[in-house]
Short mmCIF file of all heavy atoms in Angstrom, two decimals:
data_model
loop_
_atom_site.label_atom_id
_atom_site.label_comp_id
_atom_site.label_asym_id
_atom_site.label_seq_id
_atom_site.Cartn_x
_atom_site.Cartn_y
_atom_site.Cartn_z
N ASP A 1 17.79 4.22 -7.97
CA ASP A 1 17.01 4.34 -9.19
C ASP A 1 17.69 3.61 -10.35
O ASP A 1 17.03 2.96 -11.14
CB ASP A 1 16.81 5.81 -9.56
CG ASP A 1 15.79 6.51 -8.66
OD1 ASP A 1 15.03 5.80 -7.97
OD2 ASP A 1 15.78 7.75 -8.66
N TYR A 2 19.00 3.76 -10.46
CA TYR A 2 19.73 3.13 -11.54
C TYR A 2 19.59 1.61 -11.48
O TYR A 2 19.32 0.96 -12.48
CB TYR A 2 21.20 3.52 -11.49
CG TYR A 2 22.04 2.81 -12.53
CD1 TYR A 2 22.02 3.21 -13.85
CD2 TYR A 2 22.82 1.72 -12.18
CE1 TYR A 2 22.76 2.53 -14.81
CE2 TYR A 2 23.56 1.04 -13.12
CZ TYR A 2 23.53 1.45 -14.44
OH TYR A 2 24.26 0.79 -15.38
N LEU A 3 19.75 1.04 -10.29
CA LEU A 3 19.65 -0.42 -10.15
C LEU A 3 18.24 -0.90 -10.45
O LEU A 3 18.07 -1.95 -11.08
CB LEU A 3 20.08 -0.85 -8.75
CG LEU A 3 21.56 -0.63 -8.42
CD1 LEU A 3 21.84 -1.03 -6.98
CD2 LEU A 3 22.44 -1.42 -9.37
N GLU A 4 17.23 -0.15 -10.02
CA GLU A 4 15.85 -0.52 -10.33
C GLU A 4 15.61 -0.52 -11.83
O GLU A 4 15.00 -1.41 -12.39
CB GLU A 4 14.87 0.45 -9.67
CG GLU A 4 14.52 0.10 -8.26
CD GLU A 4 13.42 1.01 -7.74
OE1 GLU A 4 12.45 1.26 -8.45
OE2 GLU A 4 13.57 1.46 -6.61
N THR A 5 16.12 0.51 -12.51
CA THR A 5 15.96 0.62 -13.95
C THR A 5 16.63 -0.54 -14.66
O THR A 5 16.07 -1.12 -15.58
CB THR A 5 16.53 1.96 -14.46
OG1 THR A 5 15.86 3.03 -13.79
CG2 THR A 5 16.36 2.11 -15.96
N GLN A 6 17.83 -0.90 -14.21
CA GLN A 6 18.56 -2.00 -14.83
C GLN A 6 17.85 -3.34 -14.60
O GLN A 6 17.76 -4.16 -15.51
CB GLN A 6 19.99 -2.06 -14.30
CG GLN A 6 20.83 -0.87 -14.71
CD GLN A 6 20.87 -0.69 -16.21
OE1 GLN A 6 21.11 -1.61 -16.95
NE2 GLN A 6 20.61 0.53 -16.66
N ALA A 7 17.32 -3.54 -13.40
CA ALA A 7 16.60 -4.78 -13.11
C ALA A 7 15.34 -4.87 -13.95
O ALA A 7 15.01 -5.93 -14.48
CB ALA A 7 16.27 -4.85 -11.63
N THR A 8 14.64 -3.78 -14.08
CA THR A 8 13.42 -3.75 -14.89
C THR A 8 13.76 -4.00 -16.35
O THR A 8 13.05 -4.72 -17.05
CB THR A 8 12.69 -2.41 -14.73
OG1 THR A 8 12.43 -2.21 -13.35
CG2 THR A 8 11.39 -2.39 -15.48
N ALA A 9 14.84 -3.43 -16.84
CA ALA A 9 15.25 -3.61 -18.24
C ALA A 9 15.56 -5.08 -18.52
O ALA A 9 15.17 -5.61 -19.56
CB ALA A 9 16.45 -2.74 -18.55
N SER A 10 16.21 -5.73 -17.58
CA SER A 10 16.53 -7.14 -17.77
C SER A 10 15.27 -7.98 -17.81
O SER A 10 15.13 -8.89 -18.63
CB SER A 10 17.43 -7.62 -16.63
OG SER A 10 18.66 -6.95 -16.68
N ALA A 11 14.33 -7.69 -16.92
CA ALA A 11 13.09 -8.46 -16.86
C ALA A 11 12.21 -8.23 -18.07
O ALA A 11 11.46 -9.09 -18.48
CB ALA A 11 12.33 -8.10 -15.58
N ALA A 12 12.30 -7.05 -18.67
CA ALA A 12 11.44 -6.70 -19.80
C ALA A 12 12.09 -7.02 -21.14
O ALA A 12 11.61 -6.59 -22.18
CB ALA A 12 11.07 -5.23 -19.73
N GLY A 13 13.17 -7.74 -21.14
CA GLY A 13 13.82 -8.12 -22.39
C GLY A 13 14.60 -6.99 -23.03
O GLY A 13 14.67 -6.88 -24.24
N GLY A 14 15.19 -6.13 -22.22
CA GLY A 14 16.05 -5.08 -22.75
C GLY A 14 15.40 -3.71 -22.86
O GLY A 14 16.07 -2.75 -23.16
N ILE A 15 14.11 -3.60 -22.64
CA ILE A 15 13.45 -2.31 -22.68
C ILE A 15 13.27 -1.83 -21.25
O ILE A 15 12.58 -2.47 -20.46
CB ILE A 15 12.08 -2.39 -23.38
CG1 ILE A 15 12.25 -2.84 -24.82
CG2 ILE A 15 11.36 -1.06 -23.32
CD1 ILE A 15 10.96 -3.09 -25.55
N ALA A 16 13.89 -0.70 -20.92
CA ALA A 16 13.77 -0.16 -19.57
C ALA A 16 12.37 0.41 -19.38
O ALA A 16 11.87 1.15 -20.23
CB ALA A 16 14.81 0.92 -19.36
N THR A 17 11.73 0.01 -18.29
CA THR A 17 10.38 0.49 -17.99
C THR A 17 10.33 1.09 -16.60
O THR A 17 11.23 0.87 -15.77
CB THR A 17 9.34 -0.64 -18.08
OG1 THR A 17 9.67 -1.65 -17.13
CG2 THR A 17 9.28 -1.24 -19.47
N VAL A 18 9.28 1.84 -16.35
CA VAL A 18 9.02 2.42 -15.04
C VAL A 18 7.54 2.23 -14.74
O VAL A 18 6.71 2.27 -15.65
CB VAL A 18 9.44 3.91 -14.99
CG1 VAL A 18 8.60 4.76 -15.92
CG2 VAL A 18 9.37 4.45 -13.57
N ALA A 19 7.22 1.97 -13.47
CA ALA A 19 5.82 1.82 -13.07
C ALA A 19 5.20 3.19 -12.87
O ALA A 19 5.72 4.00 -12.09
CB ALA A 19 5.72 1.00 -11.79
N VAL A 20 4.12 3.48 -13.58
CA VAL A 20 3.41 4.75 -13.44
C VAL A 20 2.00 4.46 -12.93
O VAL A 20 1.45 3.38 -13.15
CB VAL A 20 3.36 5.55 -14.76
CG1 VAL A 20 4.75 5.91 -15.23
CG2 VAL A 20 2.61 4.80 -15.84
N LEU A 21 1.42 5.42 -12.25
CA LEU A 21 0.06 5.28 -11.75
C LEU A 21 -0.91 5.65 -12.85
O LEU A 21 -0.75 6.68 -13.51
CB LEU A 21 -0.16 6.17 -10.53
CG LEU A 21 0.66 5.78 -9.31
CD1 LEU A 21 0.61 6.86 -8.25
CD2 LEU A 21 0.16 4.48 -8.74
N VAL A 22 -1.92 4.82 -13.05
CA VAL A 22 -2.95 5.06 -14.05
C VAL A 22 -4.31 4.79 -13.42
O VAL A 22 -4.42 4.11 -12.40
CB VAL A 22 -2.77 4.17 -15.30
CG1 VAL A 22 -1.45 4.46 -16.00
CG2 VAL A 22 -2.86 2.70 -14.96
N ALA A 23 -5.34 5.33 -14.03
CA ALA A 23 -6.70 5.09 -13.54
C ALA A 23 -7.10 3.65 -13.82
O ALA A 23 -6.94 3.17 -14.94
CB ALA A 23 -7.67 6.07 -14.21
N SER A 24 -7.65 2.97 -12.82
CA SER A 24 -8.10 1.60 -13.03
C SER A 24 -9.50 1.56 -13.63
O SER A 24 -9.96 0.51 -14.06
CB SER A 24 -8.06 0.81 -11.72
OG SER A 24 -8.86 1.42 -10.74
N ARG A 25 -10.17 2.70 -13.64
CA ARG A 25 -11.46 2.87 -14.31
C ARG A 25 -11.60 4.35 -14.62
O ARG A 25 -10.82 5.16 -14.13
CB ARG A 25 -12.62 2.37 -13.45
CG ARG A 25 -12.85 3.18 -12.19
CD ARG A 25 -14.04 2.63 -11.41
NE ARG A 25 -14.34 3.48 -10.29
CZ ARG A 25 -15.38 4.30 -10.23
NH1 ARG A 25 -16.23 4.38 -11.22
NH2 ARG A 25 -15.60 5.05 -9.16
N ASP A 26 -12.58 4.72 -15.41
CA ASP A 26 -12.80 6.13 -15.72
C ASP A 26 -13.11 6.89 -14.44
O ASP A 26 -13.85 6.42 -13.58
CB ASP A 26 -13.96 6.30 -16.71
CG ASP A 26 -13.63 5.78 -18.10
OD1 ASP A 26 -12.43 5.56 -18.40
OD2 ASP A 26 -14.57 5.62 -18.90
N ILE A 27 -12.51 8.08 -14.31
CA ILE A 27 -12.74 8.93 -13.16
C ILE A 27 -13.34 10.24 -13.67
O ILE A 27 -12.70 10.96 -14.43
CB ILE A 27 -11.42 9.21 -12.39
CG1 ILE A 27 -10.76 7.90 -11.95
CG2 ILE A 27 -11.67 10.14 -11.21
CD1 ILE A 27 -9.38 8.07 -11.34
N PRO A 28 -14.58 10.55 -13.29
CA PRO A 28 -15.22 11.77 -13.78
C PRO A 28 -14.66 13.03 -13.12
O PRO A 28 -14.07 12.97 -12.04
CB PRO A 28 -16.70 11.57 -13.44
CG PRO A 28 -16.74 10.55 -12.37
CD PRO A 28 -15.48 9.74 -12.49
N LEU A 29 -14.86 14.15 -13.77
CA LEU A 29 -14.46 15.45 -13.26
C LEU A 29 -14.98 15.63 -11.83
O LEU A 29 -16.14 15.36 -11.55
CB LEU A 29 -15.04 16.56 -14.16
CG LEU A 29 -14.94 17.98 -13.64
CD1 LEU A 29 -13.50 18.45 -13.70
CD2 LEU A 29 -15.81 18.91 -14.46
N GLY A 30 -14.11 16.06 -10.93
CA GLY A 30 -14.49 16.35 -9.56
C GLY A 30 -14.48 15.18 -8.61
O GLY A 30 -14.55 15.35 -7.40
N GLN A 31 -14.38 13.97 -9.13
CA GLN A 31 -14.36 12.76 -8.28
C GLN A 31 -13.09 12.74 -7.43
O GLN A 31 -12.00 13.00 -7.94
CB GLN A 31 -14.40 11.52 -9.17
CG GLN A 31 -14.05 10.24 -8.46
CD GLN A 31 -15.25 9.38 -8.19
OE1 GLN A 31 -16.25 9.52 -8.84
NE2 GLN A 31 -15.13 8.51 -7.22
N PRO A 32 -13.20 12.44 -6.13
CA PRO A 32 -11.99 12.26 -5.33
C PRO A 32 -11.17 11.08 -5.88
O PRO A 32 -11.74 10.07 -6.28
CB PRO A 32 -12.52 11.93 -3.93
CG PRO A 32 -13.91 12.45 -3.92
CD PRO A 32 -14.42 12.32 -5.32
N ILE A 33 -9.87 11.24 -5.92
CA ILE A 33 -9.00 10.17 -6.40
C ILE A 33 -8.61 9.32 -5.19
O ILE A 33 -7.88 9.77 -4.32
CB ILE A 33 -7.76 10.73 -7.12
CG1 ILE A 33 -8.21 11.55 -8.33
CG2 ILE A 33 -6.82 9.61 -7.55
CD1 ILE A 33 -7.11 12.30 -9.03
N GLU A 34 -9.13 8.10 -5.17
CA GLU A 34 -8.96 7.20 -4.04
C GLU A 34 -8.12 6.00 -4.46
O GLU A 34 -8.03 5.68 -5.65
CB GLU A 34 -10.33 6.76 -3.53
CG GLU A 34 -11.18 7.94 -3.07
CD GLU A 34 -12.61 7.58 -2.78
OE1 GLU A 34 -13.14 6.61 -3.38
OE2 GLU A 34 -13.22 8.26 -1.94
N PRO A 35 -7.50 5.31 -3.50
CA PRO A 35 -6.61 4.20 -3.82
C PRO A 35 -7.21 3.14 -4.74
O PRO A 35 -6.52 2.62 -5.62
CB PRO A 35 -6.26 3.60 -2.46
CG PRO A 35 -6.42 4.73 -1.50
CD PRO A 35 -7.56 5.55 -2.05
N HIS A 36 -8.49 2.82 -4.59
CA HIS A 36 -9.09 1.77 -5.42
C HIS A 36 -9.31 2.22 -6.87
O HIS A 36 -9.64 1.40 -7.72
CB HIS A 36 -10.40 1.27 -4.80
CG HIS A 36 -11.52 2.26 -4.85
ND1 HIS A 36 -11.65 3.26 -3.91
CD2 HIS A 36 -12.53 2.42 -5.73
CE1 HIS A 36 -12.72 3.99 -4.21
NE2 HIS A 36 -13.26 3.50 -5.31
N LEU A 37 -9.10 3.50 -7.16
CA LEU A 37 -9.29 4.02 -8.51
C LEU A 37 -8.01 4.06 -9.33
O LEU A 37 -8.04 4.43 -10.50
CB LEU A 37 -9.90 5.43 -8.45
CG LEU A 37 -11.27 5.53 -7.80
CD1 LEU A 37 -11.70 6.99 -7.72
CD2 LEU A 37 -12.29 4.73 -8.58
N VAL A 38 -6.88 3.71 -8.70
CA VAL A 38 -5.61 3.75 -9.43
C VAL A 38 -4.89 2.41 -9.34
O VAL A 38 -5.11 1.64 -8.41
CB VAL A 38 -4.68 4.88 -8.91
CG1 VAL A 38 -5.28 6.25 -9.16
CG2 VAL A 38 -4.36 4.72 -7.45
N THR A 39 -4.05 2.17 -10.32
CA THR A 39 -3.21 0.98 -10.35
C THR A 39 -1.90 1.38 -11.01
O THR A 39 -1.77 2.51 -11.48
CB THR A 39 -3.92 -0.16 -11.12
OG1 THR A 39 -3.16 -1.36 -10.97
CG2 THR A 39 -4.10 0.16 -12.59
N THR A 40 -0.94 0.48 -11.04
CA THR A 40 0.31 0.79 -11.73
C THR A 40 0.37 0.05 -13.06
O THR A 40 -0.25 -1.00 -13.24
CB THR A 40 1.54 0.40 -10.88
OG1 THR A 40 1.47 -0.98 -10.56
CG2 THR A 40 1.61 1.22 -9.61
N GLN A 41 1.11 0.64 -13.96
CA GLN A 41 1.30 0.06 -15.28
C GLN A 41 2.74 0.35 -15.70
O GLN A 41 3.24 1.44 -15.47
CB GLN A 41 0.31 0.73 -16.25
CG GLN A 41 0.12 0.03 -17.56
CD GLN A 41 -1.00 0.69 -18.34
OE1 GLN A 41 -0.81 1.79 -18.84
NE2 GLN A 41 -2.14 0.04 -18.43
N SER A 42 3.39 -0.61 -16.31
CA SER A 42 4.76 -0.41 -16.78
C SER A 42 4.77 0.34 -18.10
O SER A 42 4.04 -0.03 -19.02
CB SER A 42 5.47 -1.76 -16.96
OG SER A 42 5.65 -2.37 -15.72
N TRP A 43 5.57 1.40 -18.15
CA TRP A 43 5.72 2.19 -19.37
C TRP A 43 7.20 2.24 -19.72
O TRP A 43 8.05 2.28 -18.84
CB TRP A 43 5.26 3.63 -19.12
CG TRP A 43 3.79 3.82 -19.17
CD1 TRP A 43 2.85 3.20 -18.39
CD2 TRP A 43 3.07 4.69 -20.03
NE1 TRP A 43 1.61 3.65 -18.71
CE2 TRP A 43 1.71 4.57 -19.72
CE3 TRP A 43 3.46 5.57 -21.03
CZ2 TRP A 43 0.74 5.29 -20.38
CZ3 TRP A 43 2.48 6.30 -21.68
CH2 TRP A 43 1.14 6.14 -21.36
N PRO A 44 7.52 2.25 -21.01
CA PRO A 44 8.92 2.44 -21.40
C PRO A 44 9.42 3.78 -20.88
O PRO A 44 8.72 4.79 -20.97
CB PRO A 44 8.88 2.44 -22.93
CG PRO A 44 7.60 1.74 -23.28
CD PRO A 44 6.64 2.05 -22.16
N VAL A 45 10.60 3.79 -20.30
CA VAL A 45 11.16 4.99 -19.70
C VAL A 45 11.16 6.16 -20.68
O VAL A 45 10.84 7.29 -20.31
CB VAL A 45 12.59 4.72 -19.16
CG1 VAL A 45 13.27 6.01 -18.73
CG2 VAL A 45 12.54 3.74 -18.01
N ASP A 46 11.47 5.89 -21.93
CA ASP A 46 11.56 6.96 -22.93
C ASP A 46 10.20 7.49 -23.37
O ASP A 46 10.14 8.49 -24.07
CB ASP A 46 12.33 6.47 -24.16
CG ASP A 46 13.77 6.13 -23.84
OD1 ASP A 46 14.30 6.63 -22.82
OD2 ASP A 46 14.38 5.35 -24.59
N ALA A 47 9.11 6.83 -22.99
CA ALA A 47 7.78 7.24 -23.45
C ALA A 47 6.88 7.75 -22.32
O ALA A 47 5.70 7.99 -22.55
CB ALA A 47 7.11 6.07 -24.16
N VAL A 48 7.42 7.92 -21.13
CA VAL A 48 6.60 8.37 -20.00
C VAL A 48 6.23 9.84 -20.20
O VAL A 48 7.10 10.69 -20.37
CB VAL A 48 7.36 8.19 -18.66
CG1 VAL A 48 6.57 8.78 -17.50
CG2 VAL A 48 7.64 6.73 -18.41
N PRO A 49 4.93 10.14 -20.21
CA PRO A 49 4.50 11.54 -20.38
C PRO A 49 4.94 12.40 -19.19
O PRO A 49 5.06 11.91 -18.07
CB PRO A 49 2.98 11.44 -20.43
CG PRO A 49 2.66 10.01 -20.71
CD PRO A 49 3.81 9.22 -20.14
N ALA A 50 5.13 13.67 -19.45
CA ALA A 50 5.49 14.61 -18.39
C ALA A 50 4.34 14.71 -17.39
O ALA A 50 3.17 14.66 -17.76
CB ALA A 50 5.79 15.97 -18.98
N GLY A 51 4.67 14.82 -16.12
CA GLY A 51 3.68 15.04 -15.09
C GLY A 51 3.00 13.81 -14.52
O GLY A 51 2.09 13.94 -13.70
N VAL A 52 3.42 12.62 -14.93
CA VAL A 52 2.79 11.42 -14.38
C VAL A 52 3.31 11.16 -12.97
O VAL A 52 4.37 11.63 -12.59
CB VAL A 52 3.03 10.16 -15.26
CG1 VAL A 52 2.47 10.34 -16.65
CG2 VAL A 52 4.48 9.80 -15.31
N PHE A 53 2.54 10.41 -12.22
CA PHE A 53 2.94 10.02 -10.87
C PHE A 53 3.53 8.62 -10.92
O PHE A 53 2.96 7.72 -11.51
CB PHE A 53 1.74 10.03 -9.92
CG PHE A 53 1.27 11.41 -9.55
CD1 PHE A 53 0.28 12.03 -10.28
CD2 PHE A 53 1.83 12.07 -8.48
CE1 PHE A 53 -0.16 13.29 -9.95
CE2 PHE A 53 1.40 13.35 -8.14
CZ PHE A 53 0.40 13.96 -8.87
N THR A 54 4.68 8.46 -10.28
CA THR A 54 5.29 7.14 -10.16
C THR A 54 5.30 6.69 -8.71
O THR A 54 5.69 5.57 -8.42
CB THR A 54 6.74 7.15 -10.70
OG1 THR A 54 7.50 8.13 -10.00
CG2 THR A 54 6.76 7.45 -12.20
N ASP A 55 4.87 7.55 -7.82
CA ASP A 55 4.86 7.26 -6.38
C ASP A 55 3.46 7.56 -5.84
O ASP A 55 3.01 8.71 -5.84
CB ASP A 55 5.91 8.13 -5.69
CG ASP A 55 6.05 7.84 -4.21
OD1 ASP A 55 5.23 7.08 -3.65
OD2 ASP A 55 6.98 8.38 -3.61
N ALA A 56 2.77 6.53 -5.36
CA ALA A 56 1.41 6.69 -4.86
C ALA A 56 1.33 7.64 -3.67
O ALA A 56 0.32 8.31 -3.48
CB ALA A 56 0.83 5.33 -4.49
N THR A 57 2.39 7.73 -2.88
CA THR A 57 2.36 8.62 -1.71
C THR A 57 2.28 10.08 -2.12
O THR A 57 1.85 10.92 -1.33
CB THR A 57 3.58 8.41 -0.79
OG1 THR A 57 4.77 8.69 -1.51
CG2 THR A 57 3.61 6.99 -0.26
N LEU A 58 2.70 10.41 -3.34
CA LEU A 58 2.60 11.79 -3.82
C LEU A 58 1.22 12.10 -4.38
O LEU A 58 0.82 13.26 -4.46
CB LEU A 58 3.67 12.05 -4.88
CG LEU A 58 5.11 11.90 -4.42
CD1 LEU A 58 6.06 12.08 -5.59
CD2 LEU A 58 5.42 12.89 -3.32
N LEU A 59 0.48 11.08 -4.79
CA LEU A 59 -0.84 11.27 -5.37
C LEU A 59 -1.95 11.13 -4.33
O LEU A 59 -2.88 11.91 -4.29
CB LEU A 59 -1.08 10.26 -6.50
CG LEU A 59 -2.47 10.26 -7.13
CD1 LEU A 59 -2.75 11.59 -7.82
CD2 LEU A 59 -2.61 9.11 -8.12
N LEU A 60 -1.83 10.12 -3.50
CA LEU A 60 -2.89 9.80 -2.54
C LEU A 60 -2.57 10.41 -1.18
O LEU A 60 -1.44 10.35 -0.72
CB LEU A 60 -3.05 8.29 -2.42
CG LEU A 60 -3.35 7.58 -3.74
CD1 LEU A 60 -3.23 6.08 -3.57
CD2 LEU A 60 -4.71 7.98 -4.27
N PRO A 61 -3.58 10.98 -0.52
CA PRO A 61 -3.34 11.64 0.77
C PRO A 61 -3.17 10.64 1.91
O PRO A 61 -3.57 9.47 1.80
CB PRO A 61 -4.61 12.46 0.98
CG PRO A 61 -5.67 11.64 0.32
CD PRO A 61 -4.98 11.04 -0.90
N ASP A 62 -2.61 11.11 2.99
CA ASP A 62 -2.56 10.32 4.21
C ASP A 62 -3.98 10.23 4.78
O ASP A 62 -4.81 11.11 4.50
CB ASP A 62 -1.63 10.98 5.24
CG ASP A 62 -0.17 10.90 4.85
OD1 ASP A 62 0.21 9.93 4.17
OD2 ASP A 62 0.60 11.82 5.21
N PRO A 63 -4.28 9.21 5.57
CA PRO A 63 -5.62 9.10 6.16
C PRO A 63 -5.99 10.38 6.91
O PRO A 63 -5.18 10.95 7.63
CB PRO A 63 -5.50 7.92 7.12
CG PRO A 63 -4.39 7.09 6.54
CD PRO A 63 -3.42 8.08 5.95
N GLY A 64 -7.21 10.84 6.69
CA GLY A 64 -7.70 12.05 7.35
C GLY A 64 -7.47 13.33 6.57
O GLY A 64 -8.05 14.36 6.89
N GLU A 65 -6.61 13.29 5.56
CA GLU A 65 -6.37 14.46 4.73
C GLU A 65 -7.36 14.53 3.58
O GLU A 65 -7.91 13.51 3.16
CB GLU A 65 -4.94 14.44 4.17
CG GLU A 65 -3.87 14.67 5.20
CD GLU A 65 -2.49 14.75 4.58
OE1 GLU A 65 -2.36 14.62 3.35
OE2 GLU A 65 -1.52 14.92 5.34
N GLU A 66 -7.58 15.73 3.07
CA GLU A 66 -8.49 15.93 1.94
C GLU A 66 -7.91 15.25 0.69
O GLU A 66 -6.74 15.44 0.37
CB GLU A 66 -8.65 17.44 1.69
CG GLU A 66 -9.65 17.80 0.63
CD GLU A 66 -11.09 17.51 1.03
OE1 GLU A 66 -11.40 17.45 2.24
OE2 GLU A 66 -11.90 17.34 0.10
N PRO A 67 -8.71 14.46 -0.01
CA PRO A 67 -8.19 13.79 -1.23
C PRO A 67 -8.06 14.77 -2.39
O PRO A 67 -8.73 15.80 -2.44
CB PRO A 67 -9.26 12.74 -1.52
CG PRO A 67 -10.51 13.31 -0.97
CD PRO A 67 -10.10 14.10 0.26
N ARG A 68 -7.19 14.43 -3.31
CA ARG A 68 -7.12 15.17 -4.58
C ARG A 68 -8.39 14.86 -5.34
O ARG A 68 -8.98 13.80 -5.19
CB ARG A 68 -5.92 14.71 -5.41
CG ARG A 68 -4.60 15.12 -4.87
CD ARG A 68 -3.51 14.53 -5.78
NE ARG A 68 -2.21 14.86 -5.33
CZ ARG A 68 -1.45 15.81 -5.85
NH1 ARG A 68 -1.88 16.51 -6.88
NH2 ARG A 68 -0.25 16.06 -5.38
N ARG A 69 -8.78 15.78 -6.20
CA ARG A 69 -9.95 15.57 -7.05
C ARG A 69 -9.52 15.68 -8.51
O ARG A 69 -8.59 16.41 -8.83
CB ARG A 69 -11.05 16.58 -6.74
CG ARG A 69 -11.61 16.40 -5.34
CD ARG A 69 -12.78 17.33 -5.08
NE ARG A 69 -13.35 17.07 -3.78
CZ ARG A 69 -14.28 16.16 -3.54
NH1 ARG A 69 -14.77 15.44 -4.52
NH2 ARG A 69 -14.74 15.96 -2.32
N ALA A 70 -10.21 14.96 -9.35
CA ALA A 70 -9.91 15.01 -10.79
C ALA A 70 -10.28 16.40 -11.32
O ALA A 70 -11.41 16.84 -11.19
CB ALA A 70 -10.69 13.93 -11.51
N LEU A 71 -9.31 17.08 -11.90
CA LEU A 71 -9.54 18.40 -12.47
C LEU A 71 -10.11 18.33 -13.88
O LEU A 71 -10.47 19.35 -14.47
CB LEU A 71 -8.24 19.22 -12.46
CG LEU A 71 -7.65 19.48 -11.07
CD1 LEU A 71 -6.34 20.25 -11.21
CD2 LEU A 71 -8.64 20.24 -10.22
N ARG A 72 -10.14 17.12 -14.42
CA ARG A 72 -10.74 16.84 -15.70
C ARG A 72 -11.11 15.36 -15.69
O ARG A 72 -10.67 14.62 -14.81
CB ARG A 72 -9.81 17.16 -16.87
CG ARG A 72 -8.54 16.33 -16.86
CD ARG A 72 -7.66 16.62 -18.08
NE ARG A 72 -6.45 15.88 -18.06
CZ ARG A 72 -6.31 14.62 -18.44
NH1 ARG A 72 -7.34 13.94 -18.88
NH2 ARG A 72 -5.13 14.02 -18.40
N ALA A 73 -11.90 14.94 -16.63
CA ALA A 73 -12.23 13.52 -16.71
C ALA A 73 -10.94 12.75 -17.03
O ALA A 73 -10.15 13.18 -17.86
CB ALA A 73 -13.27 13.27 -17.78
N ILE A 74 -10.74 11.63 -16.33
CA ILE A 74 -9.54 10.81 -16.53
C ILE A 74 -10.01 9.46 -17.06
O ILE A 74 -10.81 8.77 -16.41
CB ILE A 74 -8.76 10.64 -15.21
CG1 ILE A 74 -8.36 12.00 -14.65
CG2 ILE A 74 -7.55 9.74 -15.43
CD1 ILE A 74 -7.77 11.93 -13.25
N ALA A 75 -9.50 9.08 -18.21
CA ALA A 75 -9.86 7.80 -18.83
C ALA A 75 -9.08 6.66 -18.20
O ALA A 75 -7.93 6.84 -17.80
CB ALA A 75 -9.60 7.85 -20.33
N GLN A 76 -9.69 5.50 -18.16
CA GLN A 76 -9.02 4.31 -17.64
C GLN A 76 -7.73 4.07 -18.40
O GLN A 76 -7.67 4.18 -19.61
CB GLN A 76 -9.93 3.10 -17.81
CG GLN A 76 -9.33 1.81 -17.32
CD GLN A 76 -10.27 0.63 -17.48
OE1 GLN A 76 -11.43 0.79 -17.84
NE2 GLN A 76 -9.78 -0.55 -17.21
N GLY A 77 -6.66 3.74 -17.64
CA GLY A 77 -5.38 3.45 -18.24
C GLY A 77 -4.58 4.67 -18.56
O GLY A 77 -3.48 4.64 -19.01
#
């Protein structure tokens, strides 16, 4: 993790960032969260909100498993 953070900081001009999962489009309440509905976005490490996902394997189910559903409307980005 430390080496990844340092490499990202160098590439971003000194600001350490982390890739977080965000909605690639609006997701309505109750919609299954599927791979095509999420993307990654770089956020400054110091500004990452609590509870965000940084690992898609923790958010998206394995094939055949029940998908997570949006518990509230999720805005793009």
Side-chain angles (χ1 to χ4, degrees):
D1 286 343
Y2 176 77
L3 293 177
E4 274 187 44
T5 302
Q6 293 304 311
T8 303
S10 296
I15 298 174
T17 61
V18 64
V20 299
L21 294 168
V22 298
S24 58
R25 67 179 186 106
D26 291 345
I27 303 173
L29 170 71
Q31 166 105 22
I33 299 173
E34 300 170 332
H36 69 278
L37 298 176
V38 296
T39 188
T40 57
Q41 195 173 73
S42 293
W43 280 58
V45 171
D46 296 338
V48 174
V52 300
F53 287 92
T54 57
D55 184 351
T57 61
L58 298 175
L59 175 64
L60 303 170
D62 290 329
E65 290 185 359
E66 185 69 24
R68 289 178 181 258
R69 295 185 176 273
L71 298 178
R72 62 177 178 81
I74 302 171
Q76 179 179 353

